[in-house]
Amino acid sequence: MNNLGLSITVFILVLAFLFQCSSSSSSLRKGSSLLVENPEDNIMSQNGMFSAGFTAIGENAYSFAIWFTEPTSLNLNKTIIWMANRDQPVNGKRSKLTLLNTGNIVLFDVSLNNVRSSNTASLKPLELHLKDDGNLVLRELQGITILWQSFDSPTDTLLPGQPLTRYTKLVASRSESNHSTGFYKFYFDDANVLGLHYDGPDISSSYWPKPWLLISQVGRANFNGSRIALLDSFGSFLSSDNLIFITSDYGTVLQRRMKMDSDGNLRVYSRINVSQNWYVSWQAIYGACIAHGICGDNSTCSYNPKHGRKCSCIPGYRVKNHSDWSYGCEPMFDFTCNRSESTFFEMVNVEFYGYDIHYVPMSNYSSCEKLCLEDCNCKGFQYGFGVLKGFYKCYTKTQLRNGRHSPFFVGSTYLRLPKGNTFSKEESSTPSDHVCLVKLQRNFVSESENHYVNFFLWFAAAIGAFEAICIFIVWCSLFRNRKTNADQHGYHQLAAIGFRKYSYLELKKATKGFSQEIGRGGGGIVYKGLLSDQRHVAVKRLYNAQQGEGEFLAEVGIIGRLNHMNLIEMWGYCAEGKYRLLVYEYMENGSLAENLSANKLDWSKRYKIVLSIARVLAYLHEECLEWILHCDIKPQNILLDSNFQPKLADFGLSKLQNRNNLNNSCISMIRGTRGYMAPEWIFNLPITSKVDVYSYGIVVLEMITGKSPTTGFKIVSGEEESDGRLVTWVREKRGSDISWLEEIVDPQIALNYDRSKMEIMAKVALDCVVDERDSRPTMSKVVEMLQYHGSDV
Ligand SMILES: *[C@@H]1O[C@H](CO)[C@@H](O)[C@H](O)[C@H]1NC(C)=O
Ligand SMILES: *[C@@H]1O[C@H](CO)[C@@H](O)[C@H](O)[C@H]1NC(C)=O
Ligand SMILES: *[C@@H]1O[C@H](CO)[C@@H](O)[C@H](O)[C@H]1NC(C)=O
Ligand SMILES: *[C@@H]1O[C@H](CO)[C@@H](O)[C@H](O)[C@H]1NC(C)=O
Ligand SMILES: *[C@@H]1O[C@H](CO)[C@@H](O)[C@H](O)[C@H]1NC(C)=O
Ligand SMILES: *[C@@H]1O[C@H](CO)[C@@H](O)[C@H](O)[C@H]1NC(C)=O
Ligand SMILES: *[C@@H]1O[C@H](CO)[C@@H](O)[C@H](O)[C@H]1NC(C)=O
Ligand SMILES: *[C@@H]1O[C@H](CO)[C@@H](O)[C@H](O)[C@H]1NC(C)=O
C-alpha cells in the first residue's frame, strides 16, 4: 500500500513536471485550451522571444495577448504587441481560449460567453502556433495552409516583416494604461497615402503628413494603389506611397516594433538586447502638440521638456471632465450676437487648426475683427503674419479645435467674449496627463468548487509559495544593491527612454584608459571607445564637475529626453566621485569641419546638411521653448554619420557647466567660438535663440564658400571685425556683381549645383547674419524658406 502511495506521489510530480514543460510549448492542438487562472499557461515562440496568453489589463480584467517574453519579472510591464479583445476584457476566472475540434478558436468568458472567435473551420488536424516573428497562426499540421493569423488584425503595433495593407490599421490605445481602442489611427487613406488620423467622438481629422501641403510636396505619391508597407528587421520602412525611412540605428539586428502611441505619434522602438530598455529610433512627428484632438475643444496645448505637455482651457471656458481632458472645455457665458456687447481677448502665439468660416489673405486687424463680428457663429479669429507671403492673414473660426501654443506662430488668436466679464488666463489650467484610472470592476458569479479542484489548488499554492520565497530572495538582493538616494526617481524615468548609467571603470576600459582623443571643446575632451557589447561610442569627459549627482542627472535627463534624428544620441552617463562623463553614439564620418576641409562633400550633401541642421535647430528652439539654446554652432560640432546625415553634438551642455545662473541656459558665461559668435555676445545684449541663428548663417556661408570665417584673420580693431570678414566679403560680392554666386561658391563644387537653390541658401544665410537680432529669421522660418524652394528633399 505504501508503495502505491509513493507511486501516486511520483506520478503526480511527474505530471506536474510535464505540465510545467508543456506550458511553454509553441503551439496548441485541437481540443486544448489556455486558462486564465494559470498565468504560466502560455504559448511561447520557439526562439523564446514572444509569448501568447492571458494578461491582466485591469482589476479582474484579462485580455488574450501576445507580448515580448522579456522582461519576465512581475513588477515590470509587458510589452504587448497584439490583443484579441482590447475592448472586451474577460473575467479573471474561468475564462479560456480553446481550439475547438471544429477548427474554430474561441475566447470564452463566464458571463459574456463567446467574446471573440476566429470563425475558422477545418476537419484536418490543426495547431495554433506562435511563430518566431511574433505571428500567431492557425495552420494545418501537415501542409502549409494558414487559416487565420494575428498579423492580419494588428492592434497598435507592427512587427518587422508584418505588412500593413489596405485592410489593416494600427489603432492606438486610449492611454498608456488603458488598452481599449483610442482615437489615433495609422492607415492608408482613400488617396493611397499613409497617414496619421485623429478619429475622435465627434470629429475626425488628419494631421500627418501636413494636411495643408500637397502630396507631392511631402515627398509622397498616390498613384500606386497596391497600398502595402513593410518595416524590415534592419530598420528600413518602405511603403507603396513612397514613405521611405530608415531608423536611427539602421543596420544592426535588434528587436524592433512600430507602435501607434496613445499620444498620437507613430514611433519605432528598438532594443539592443532583451535585458535593456526600449528606445525610440524613429518617430513621425516632432512636436508634442501637433497631433489633433490631444486637448479637446476650446483648449490649447503647450509643451516644455521639464513639465511635458499641458492642456489649458482658453479664458472664459472651464474644463468639462476633470478626469478626461479629451472632453475639452465649455464656455462659462452665453453667446451674444449683439456687436456692441462683444469684446476680444488676445492670446499671443496661439493658433487653432481648421474650422475657418473665412480666410482673407492680405488683411488688417480692423477688417478681420469686423468680419468676425458680422457673423453670429464666429467664436474668434486668428490673425497672423505669413512669413513667406509677407502679409497678414485673417481666419475667422466657428469652432476652436486643435489649439496650440507655439512660440513660432507669428500672430495671435482673438477670442470673442461678452463685455464686462473679467476672464483671466489662469482660470483653469490643469495638467492633462492626469487621466484618472478607472478600475474596471466585473462581477463574478461564484459557483461551488469541488474537492478535486481544491486539492490541485493547494498543490499549486505550495509550489507558488516556494516560488514566492525565491522571488523574495532575489528581490531583496536586488534591493540591497539599489542606492537609496533621491536620484532613483529621475533614473527610472530615464531608463524608460533607453538610458544607462556606466561605471567609471567600464568607461575607462572601453576607451582603453582614455587613450584615443577624437575631439575637444564644449567643456570636455572626447574619446573614442568600444563598449563590451561591441558598440562604438564617443565618451566625453567634462572638465569641471562640481555638481552633485542629483543635479547632474536632472540636467542630463533633460538632454536625454530630447529626441531628433539630427541630434547626436546620448546613451548614458557616469557620475562617480569627481568624474562626470557622457556617453554618445559614435559617428563614422567625423565632423563637418573635417569633411569640408577634406573636400568630401558635393553640392547635394551640403544642401541636405544645411536643411537638416535648420530642422534640428527649429526643433530645439521651438519644442523646447528656448530652453535649449545651442550657443556653439560650428562645423566642429556637426557630426556626420555613415550616410552623411548630420547630427548636432554638444547641445544643452551649457546647462551642465553653469551652476550660477539657473534661469538662463548660456548667459552667465560667454560660450561660443570666435568667428561664429553673434554680436550680442560682444555688446552684452540679452541672449536669445537668435544667437544660434547667427552662428548657423555663418556655417552655411562657410559651406557655400568653403572659406572658414577664422582663416587669415588679422585682429584689426577688437572683436567686432573678427567675424565680419567672410560676411562682408559675401555681402559686397552680392551687391556688386550679377554673377556674384559663381564668385563666392566653393571652387571645389565647381558648377555642379542647382543655381536657384544655391541662391536661396546664400540669401537665407545672409538674412541669418544681420547684426540686428530681431531682423534675423527664426529657425523654423529658415526651414520654411529652404524647403519651399527645394521641395525634393
Ligand atoms: C506599469 O504600468 C503602470 C500602469 O499600468 C504604470 O503606472 C507604471 O509606471 C508602469 N511601470 C513601469 C516600470 O513602466
Ligand atoms: C507599388 O508599390 C509596391 C510596393 O512598394 C511595389 O512593389 C510596386 O512595384 C509598385 N507599383 C508601381 C506601379 O509602382
Ligand atoms: C545582453 O546584455 C547583457 C548586459 O547588458 C549581457 O550580459 C548579455 O550577454 C547580453 N545578451 C545578449 C544575447 O547579447
Ligand atoms: C468623465 O470621464 C470619465 C472617464 O472617461 C467617465 O467615466 C465619466 O462619465 C465622465 N463624466 C462626465 C460628466 O462626462
Ligand atoms: C466649445 O465652445 C463652443 C463655444 O465657443 C461651444 O459651442 C462648444 O460646445 C464647446 N465645446 C465643448 C466640447 O464643450
Ligand atoms: C445691443 O446692446 C446694446 C447695449 O447693450 C443695446 O443698446 C442694443 O439695443 C442691443 N441691440 C440689439 C439688437 O439687441
Ligand atoms: C483695412 O482694410 C480695409 C479693406 O481691406 C480698408 O478699407 C481699411 O482702410 C484698412 N484699414 C487700415 C487701418 O489700414
Ligand atoms: C478605458 O477607456 C474606455 C473608453 O473611454 C472606458 O470605457 C474604460 O472604462 C476605460 N478603462 C479603464 C480601465 O480605465
Side-chain angles (χ1 to χ4, degrees), residues 174 178 180 438 440:
R174 191 66 202 266
N178 183 340
S180 58
V438 186
L440 214 130

Side-chain angles (χ1 to χ4, degrees), residues 429-475:
S429 160
T430 328
S432 64
D433 292 337
H434 288 288
V435 179
C436 278
L437 296 179
V438 186
K439 274 191 185 166
L440 214 130
Q441 288 290 356
R442 298 273 320 277
N443 292 327
F444 173 65
V445 199
S446 102
E447 290 165 33
S448 64
E449 291 157 339
N450 70 33
H451 296 286
Y452 185 66
V453 169
N454 261 338
F455 169 75
F456 275 100
L457 281 180
W458 276 108
F459 188 73
I463 289 180
F466 178 70
E467 281 182 16
I469 290 167
C470 293
I471 289 169
F472 182 72
I473 291 168
V474 172
W475 173 248

Side-chain angles (χ1 to χ4, degrees), residues 625-640:
L625 301 180
E626 305 215 351
W627 256 74
I628 314 276
L629 308 185
H630 190 289
C631 303
D632 196 9
I633 296 186
K634 56 180 175 182
Q636 287 78 9
N637 278 338
I638 296 167
L639 305 181
L640 303 178

Side-chain angles (χ1 to χ4, degrees), residues 303-308 490-491 493-494 497 499 547 550-564 567-568 570 573 582 619-620 623-629 651-656 659 662-663 665:
Y303 175 80
N304 84 43
K306 200 158 196 185
H307 302 109
Y491 181 68
Q493 283 190 335
L494 284 174
I497 57 166
F499 206 73
Q547 246 167 329
E551 283 173 280
F552 176 75
L553 199 47
E555 299 196 344
V556 166
I558 294 178
I559 303 171
R561 263 189 287 272
L562 297 174
N563 196 313
H564 190 281
L567 282 181
I568 195 112
M570 197 192 280
Y573 71 98
L582 302 169
Y619 165 78
L620 285 181
E623 295 308 330
C624 307
L625 301 180
E626 305 215 351
W627 256 74
I628 314 276
L629 308 185
F651 49 95
L653 284 191
S654 44
K655 287 188 74 64
L656 287 180
R659 304 310 314 146
L662 282 168
N663 297 329
S665 45

Side-chain angles (χ1 to χ4, degrees), residues 297-298 317 320 327-331 335 379 400:
D297 292 6
N298 305 323
Y317 289 72
K320 258 186 156 170
Y327 288 87
C329 307
E330 57 192 357
F335 266 95
K379 303 295 191 301
L400 301 167

Side-chain angles (χ1 to χ4, degrees), residues 631-634 636-637 670-678 681 695 710 723:
C631 303
D632 196 9
I633 296 186
K634 56 180 175 182
Q636 287 78 9
N637 278 338
I670 289 203
R671 255 178 77 85
T673 304
R674 210 158 55 173
Y676 299 91
M677 280 161 75
W681 293 108
S695 312
T710 50
D723 49 10

